Amino acid sequence: MSKIDFSGRVAIVTGAGAGLGKDYAVELAKRGAKVVVNDLGGTRDGSGSGDTAASQVVDEIKAQGGEAVPNFDSVASAEGGENIVKTALDAYGKIDILINNAGILRDKSFAKMSEQEWDAVLAVHLKGTFNVTKPAFINMKENKYGRILMTSSGSGMFGNFGQANYASAKAGMAGLVNVLKIEGAKYGIKTNMLLPSAGTRMTEDVMPPEMFDKLKVEYITPGVLYLVSEQCQDSGAYINAFAGFFSRSQVMSGPGMMFGDKPTPEMVAENWEKIMSMDNPKYFDDVNQIMFDALQSDVVQKP
Ligand code: NAI
């Protein structure tokens, strides 16, 4: 098996001053990548800022003989996103790898959630991912090479109490991955999505201690390094990662039922079981495929 090597590659890792992002940055640098270590340096809820977190990670990388530069911008503004990308271009001239990892939490049950709590979380996770990915994607397109990783969450793809803002932002990333998989294809840009679970400051008070200890950050990083490597030829995949376990999640469609041109609510009710059936589910690469399949396929059952 060929070694995963990042010599000559330039990587941006957002929110790399702590937790998962820090481990990705350190391990990428150990394998030869030049890394932009971005971190706003705030608290878990996104308040405050400082340059210590990112600077310390850069010092650590350099002490191990690696190459890295810090960036202290917030991903939450378009200007911040542009600056993060500019830091990479000024220091190293290109971007090969982008790991959108920065994140905050403002948990509240939905009925109690304020507009401010909604907006702050969407701004960092979803808009923040747009803010950095857009300028990075343009550079990758010019170079006809790119590896982009979005950091989603099982909370967004499966649900979790008290995280309506966070889950919505994280599920929104799936939409972006679905489109970039298509728009980046002819430029050699592969975009995938990670659903991690790890013991960090984000989860220290929500996980029982014995679980926290099992979910080590360094168990996630090998999957991340593969996903942003040249070896990875997949695009559009959602990868679960925790405790040394990796798997794929995907939106699949059931066989369905074709009613033709005169469907009635009663026909839908009578055939609800078949409509809901997930027997022999199918994966579709884009929205046109599912319609084409339903209109053409003999598999679609008629009442
Ligand atoms: P963490 O809190 O240890 O690290 C997140 C980092 O992002 C912090 O260093 C923080 O300063 C930085 N950050 C926050 N807002 C920023 C902004 N506007 N601009 C730049 N940097 C900013 O958290 P952790 O656990 O390492 O999380 C990393 C990513 O993984 C996040 O996107 C999180 O939502 C996601 N995730 C983590 C899970 C876990 O179990 N730890 C579960 C699912 C997803």
Side-chain angles (χ1 to χ4, degrees):
M1 193 183 294
S2 62
K3 190 166 188 284
I4 306 275
D5 182 68
F6 295 102
S7 302
R9 296 288 180 207
V10 178
I12 295 173
V13 185
T14 69
L20 289 163
K22 176 184 172 180
D23 205 53
Y24 306 157
V26 168
E27 293 305 319
L28 280 165
K30 273 189 199 161
R31 287 172 185 256
K34 301 179 180 102
V35 186
V36 174
V37 177
N38 157 264
D39 206 289
L40 177 67
T43 58
R44 189 173 76 164
D45 72 1
S47 55
S49 61
D51 56 13
T52 317
S55 299
Q56 278 178 351
V57 176
V58 168
D59 290 347
E60 199 177 307
I61 289 172
K62 285 186 173 164
Q64 291 170 354
E67 270 198 65
V69 286
N71 172 283
F72 316 112
D73 282 290
S74 170
V75 299
S77 73
E79 195 192 2
E82 294 278 354
N83 268 335
I84 294 166
V85 167
K86 187 172 179 302
T87 302
L89 296 180
D90 287 351
Y92 306 126
K94 63 168 181 168
I95 298 147
D96 299 300
I97 296 162
L98 168 62
I99 303 178
N100 288 296
N101 166 80
I104 61 168
L105 277 187
R106 302 253 174 118
D107 289 5
K108 222 26 113 45
S109 61
F110 185 58
K112 291 184 185 149
M113 186 169 287
S114 68
E115 183 185 7
Q116 207 275 331
E117 283 157 349
W118 175 272
D119 286 346
V121 169
L122 269 283
V124 173
H125 290 279
L126 190 54
K127 181 82 186 303
T129 295
F130 165 78
N131 289 335
V132 190
T133 306
K134 165 89 191 287
F137 186 85
I138 289 169
N139 183 263
M140 289 173 176
K141 214 174 140 188
E142 281 164 11
N143 298 333
K144 296 205 162 34
Y145 182 86
R147 295 288 180 269
I148 300 172
L149 189 66
M150 310 300 184
T151 309
S152 182
S153 167
S155 172
M157 303 311 285
F158 306 116
N160 200 18
F161 187 92
Q163 295 197 316
N165 49 1
Y166 182 79
S168 300
K170 293 301 201 185
M173 284 176 194
L176 185 55
V177 169
N178 294 343
V179 172
L180 294 192
K181 157 194 89 181
I182 297 165
E183 293 194 10
K186 69 174 176 187
Y187 304 105
I189 303 172
K190 315 281 187 199
T191 305
N192 291 296
M193 190 167 90
L194 184 79
L195 288 69
S197 219
T200 65
R201 77 169 182 182
M202 193 173 269
T203 49
E204 62 194 345
D205 54 359
V206 291
M207 278 179 191
E210 60 283 6
M211 200 167 166
F212 190 87
D213 291 342
K214 272 203 181 134
L215 300 179
K216 289 199 189 341
V217 164
E218 52 270 32
Y219 294 165
I220 310 276
T221 307
V224 167
L225 263 55
Y226 172 71
L227 283 164
V228 299
S229 72
E230 209 174 321
Q231 278 92 330
C232 178
Q233 292 299 312
D234 284 302
S235 199
Y238 313 159
I239 302 297
N240 303 292
F242 49 87
F245 171 80
F246 299 96
S247 71
R248 178 183 183 185
S249 286
Q250 196 50 264
V251 175
M252 308 287 280
S253 298
M257 183 116 202
M258 175 58 84
F259 294 102
D261 55 2
K262 289 200 176 60
T264 64
E266 289 74 21
M267 285 160 76
V268 173
E270 270 163 37
N271 293 284
W272 190 240
E273 211 174 304
K274 283 184 183 159
I275 292 169
M276 289 289 281
S277 164
M278 288 302 289
D279 284 348
N280 301 315
K282 281 191 185 173
Y283 167 71
F284 297 101
D285 247 332
D286 66 38
V287 64
N288 300 312
Q289 277 188 19
I290 184 170
M291 289 193 287
F292 187 79
D293 189 77
L295 293 170
Q296 301 293 321
S297 170
D298 293 338
V299 175
V300 175
Q301 305 167 48
K302 301 204 174 182

